[in-house]
Amino acid sequence: MVTKEFLEILRCPLNPSRVRLDLREHYLECQQCAVRFPIKDGFPILVMEEAELPSGCESVSSLPCQKPASP
């Protein structure tokens, strides 16, 4: 089960330095890029092979958090 305390320490594995995850009904969603990580048997599965990319995104490299920052 994902508790409020656990959710406070979780970060998106694609940008773990600062990006938090929001709890939805059956998944966790990255606040920055909207990648969805499933929750199975009460445990979040924070691996990209199990994640769902946001609509219109074809690959992990096309996510905003994976593009180099502009100078």
Side-chain angles (χ1 to χ4, degrees):
M1 183 168 132
V2 179
T3 64
K4 181 180 177 181
E5 292 81 15
F6 186 42
L7 188 60
E8 298 245 348
I9 63 171
L10 288 177
R11 298 292 183 270
C12 179
L14 295 175
N15 195 352
S17 64
R18 63 178 189 262
V19 180
R20 292 183 180 263
L21 299 165
D22 290 325
L23 180 61
R24 304 292 187 225
E25 191 171 330
H26 299 289
Y27 58 89
L28 295 173
E29 183 175 84
C30 175
Q31 291 178 347
Q32 182 178 24
C33 62
V35 170
R36 294 177 175 182
F37 298 95
I39 298 173
K40 296 181 180 178
D41 297 323
F43 296 97
I45 311 299
L46 300 176
V47 293
M48 282 311 299
E49 292 80 14
E50 296 287 327
E52 179 184 326
L53 295 173
S55 177
C57 185
E58 295 182 19
S59 69
V60 172
S61 62
S62 64
L63 291 167
C65 63
Q66 298 302 297
K67 294 180 181 177
S70 300

